């Protein structure tokens, strides 16, 4: 039985999007809360925060997690590193390996998730989509390398066709929807040798007009990140 589980990393680990898909950046139980519920873990703590990069994971979140000596750590990281012009794959890989190593030394089982193919989850201009695709592939390779070196588990998202369906995603097409977070939970439970159980009921909310929402919110965000990336 797991007594303590922690969530580490970025806004996906934080649970943004698990709020009934109402278009606001509010968080819900997410991967961590749903997994703690499914595994009947009595104590769970989310140390992640939106915008976190690998350096934040290694320097800020991991020291806090070490103090808790958790049985299980769920990590989502890399999406924000991917969007920065100064992204350095060797540094990213080193941060991830160090983070896993430190958790493993205090007896923590570690799960990480891949970044899905950006070209299949959201529509970008061709040149931006190609760059994001290449970056995501590089990040996933680093995650798998670090996990292989330190004995962690990586959940495959890149090659799973079903996750690119519309209802897997929050309206922003960047964060998972309640269905997406439940998928991560079910996969985690399966890899731990358990059986998926009934998930946490989702908040009911009216779905906003997708295209108007993307135009007003996602387009400026993509343009800003694209300028920085290139």
């Amino acid at each position: 039985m797991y007594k303590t589980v922690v969530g580490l990393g970025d806004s996906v680990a934080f649970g943004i999007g698990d709020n009934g898909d109402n278009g606001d950046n509010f968080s819900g139980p997410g991967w961590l809360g749903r997994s703690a519920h499914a595994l009947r873990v009595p104590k769970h703590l989310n140390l992640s925060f939106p915008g976190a990069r690998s350096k934040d994971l290694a320097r800020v979140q991991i020291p806090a997690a070490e103090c808790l000596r958790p049985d299980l750590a769920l990590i989502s990281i890399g999406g924000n590193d991917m969007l920065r012009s100064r992204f350095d794959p060797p540094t990213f890989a080193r941060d991830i390996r160090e983070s896993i190593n430190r958790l493993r030394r205090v007896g923590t089982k570690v799960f990480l998730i891949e970044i899905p193919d950006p070209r299949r989850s959201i529509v970008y201009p061709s040149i931006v989509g190609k760059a994001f695709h290449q970056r995501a592939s590089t990040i996933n390779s680093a995650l798998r390398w670090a996990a292989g070196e330190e004995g962690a588990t990586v959940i495959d998202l890149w090659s799973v066709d079903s996750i690119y369906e519309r209802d897997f995603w929050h309206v922003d097409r960047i964060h998972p929807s309640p269905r997406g977070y439940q998928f991560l939970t079910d996969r985690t439970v399966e890899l731990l040798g358990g059986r998926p159980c009934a998930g946490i009921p989702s908040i009911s909310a009216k779905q906003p007009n997708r295209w108007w929402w993307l135009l007003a919110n996602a387009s400026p965000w993509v343009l800003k990140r694209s300028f920085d990336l290139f």
Side-chain angles (χ1 to χ4, degrees):
M1 175 181 176
Y2 298 99
K3 296 180 179 179
T4 305
V5 57
V6 297
L8 301 166
D10 54 27
S11 56
V12 173
F14 193 74
I16 287 181
D18 193 4
N19 62 337
D21 209 9
N22 65 8
D24 297 317
N25 284 331
F26 298 138
S27 62
W31 182 23
L32 173 65
R34 290 172 179 271
S35 295
H37 172 75
L39 295 167
R40 295 181 173 84
V41 179
K43 182 179 180 180
H44 68 280
L45 182 64
N46 204 332
L47 300 173
S48 67
F49 53 84
R53 289 184 268 172
S54 66
K55 64 179 183 179
D56 300 307
L57 173 68
R59 300 173 191 174
V60 178
Q61 298 178 17
I62 292 298
E66 286 178 304
C67 295
L68 296 169
R69 304 180 72 88
D71 301 294
L72 178 65
L74 307 179
I75 303 175
S76 168
I77 199 71
N80 296 297
D81 297 88
M82 178 181 76
L83 302 172
R84 296 296 186 266
S85 57
R86 295 184 179 180
F87 171 62
D88 180 58
T91 299
F92 176 83
R94 184 170 61 249
D95 285 343
I96 302 307
R97 182 177 182 181
E98 176 189 344
S99 297
I100 298 172
N101 176 268
R102 290 171 66 175
L103 289 170
R104 296 292 290 150
R105 279 191 284 176
V106 296
T108 305
K109 186 181 292 289
V110 180
F111 276 71
L112 305 98
I113 55 175
E114 286 186 334
I115 295 177
D117 186 348
R119 292 194 300 189
R120 298 182 66 185
S121 59
I122 191 170
V123 177
Y124 294 103
S126 179
I127 188 171
V128 177
K130 182 178 180 181
F132 285 171
H133 174 88
Q134 293 173 339
R135 284 282 181 90
S137 179
T138 298
I139 283 172
N140 288 340
S141 294
L143 292 172
R144 290 199 170 277
W145 171 80
E149 291 293 314
E150 300 297 337
T153 301
V154 179
I155 296 177
D156 175 21
L157 295 181
W158 183 278
S159 62
V160 180
D161 291 335
S162 63
I163 73 161
Y164 298 103
E165 296 173 6
R166 170 67 190 91
D167 64 350
F168 189 94
W169 298 94
H170 181 56
V171 68
D172 64 9
R173 301 288 290 182
I174 296 168
H175 301 94
S177 65
R179 178 196 168 193
Y181 281 113
Q182 191 59 45
F183 171 89
L184 295 178
T185 298
D186 291 345
R187 190 70 185 111
T188 301
V189 172
E190 290 176 60
L191 289 169
L192 288 171
R195 294 181 179 179
C197 66
I200 298 172
S202 300
I203 299 171
S204 178
K206 183 179 180 180
Q207 170 75 18
N209 182 289
R210 177 190 172 205
W211 295 110
W212 278 114
W213 191 94
L214 289 173
L215 182 64
N217 297 276
S219 296
W221 181 88
V222 169
L223 287 173
K224 179 181 178 182
R225 291 294 181 264
S226 300
F227 278 118
D228 180 71
L229 176 63
F230 288 104

